[in-house]
Amino acid sequence: MNVNAHPLPSRHRFTVEDYHRLGEIGVLSEDDRVELIEGEIIDLAPIGTQHAETLRKLIRALASHLPPEALLDVRDPIRIGGSEPQPDIAIIRNRSYVDVHPGPEDVLLLIEVADTSLEFDRSIKIPLYARHGIPEVWLIDLAGRAVEVFRDPAAEGYRDVRRYGPAGRIRPVLIPELEVDLAAVLA
């Protein structure tokens, strides 16, 4: 045994309740750009102008065409297992969430807009969503001017993954009356 070797420090994992308690006692505020991912508090990158403008375009494209049974959430948390990610957009079932954040059973579609966060979204958040049965996720790749659509979730990931360029149109599986023209979003 090497007497100079130091054991690796262990990480402290937070529960969703711990995470909320940090907010209640003032360690975290509503203005902190963080999210809880599998027990770890993750700092979110600042939102750049291209990211913000794409989000605005998506909101315009989605909001006026949502059916009455759906709600549009922007950067609000969802609760999935020991995580509370804050997707850029969540289209959820229209019901009251006064006592609990939406869960996987409430989600109709999640959308992540990615510039600097592309690899994190693709390798950490998308698999997390799949493991918890989120039916459909769109990953807007700003640098690649494309949308990756993830459907058919399973424990090992999404079984149906497609990539669309700016000339495409997409309809969410659970909201087929909603069609998004990608040229308007990715322009």
Side-chain angles (χ1 to χ4, degrees):
M1 177 174 174
N2 182 349
V3 293
N4 294 326
H6 298 284
L8 292 175
S10 61
R11 293 181 177 182
H12 177 82
R13 295 250 182 228
F14 293 94
T15 65
V16 172
E17 292 74 22
D18 294 337
Y19 180 62
H20 283 264
R21 183 76 180 123
L22 292 173
E24 292 166 9
I25 63 174
V27 173
L28 296 173
S29 77
E30 286 186 2
D31 295 331
D32 287 327
R33 292 204 19 87
V34 296
E35 59 188 348
L36 182 68
I37 304 293
E38 296 185 320
E40 293 189 48
I41 298 173
I42 306 294
D43 287 317
L44 298 173
I47 294 175
T49 57
Q50 186 180 14
H51 184 284
E53 182 60 18
T54 302
L55 198 52
R56 285 184 206 99
K57 290 175 183 177
L58 281 166
I59 292 167
R60 278 193 298 270
L62 298 169
S64 62
H65 296 94
L66 278 184
E69 60 273 6
L71 295 173
L72 178 69
D73 266 2
V74 179
R75 306 242 8 108
D76 287 330
I78 60 171
R79 187 171 185 171
I80 51 176
S83 299
E84 271 196 11
Q86 296 178 24
D88 288 302
I89 291 179
I91 299 178
I92 57 175
R93 296 185 193 289
N94 187 355
R95 68 173 189 85
S96 173
Y97 298 97
V98 70
D99 294 323
V100 65
H101 290 305
E105 67 283 357
D106 300 305
V107 175
L108 303 171
L109 171 67
L110 292 183
I111 302 174
E112 295 284 0
V113 178
D115 42 13
T116 60
S117 66
L118 183 64
E119 197 50 45
F120 180 76
D121 290 342
R122 192 182 281 140
S123 64
I124 303 296
K125 290 178 85 173
I126 301 290
L128 173 71
Y129 297 151
R131 285 192 304 276
H132 289 279
I134 301 296
E136 184 169 358
V137 180
W138 296 358
L139 179 60
I140 312 288
D141 174 1
L142 293 177
R145 295 194 66 237
V147 178
E148 295 174 18
V149 175
F150 299 84
R151 295 177 175 145
D152 195 12
E156 65 280 356
Y158 285 94
R159 292 181 283 237
D160 182 5
V161 179
R162 299 175 191 204
R163 187 171 173 93
Y164 297 87
R169 293 179 172 273
I170 309 173
R171 290 180 185 270
V173 170
L174 296 179
I175 318 166
E177 62 272 31
L178 179 66
E179 182 178 71
V180 177
D181 178 3
L182 297 181
V185 172
L186 296 171

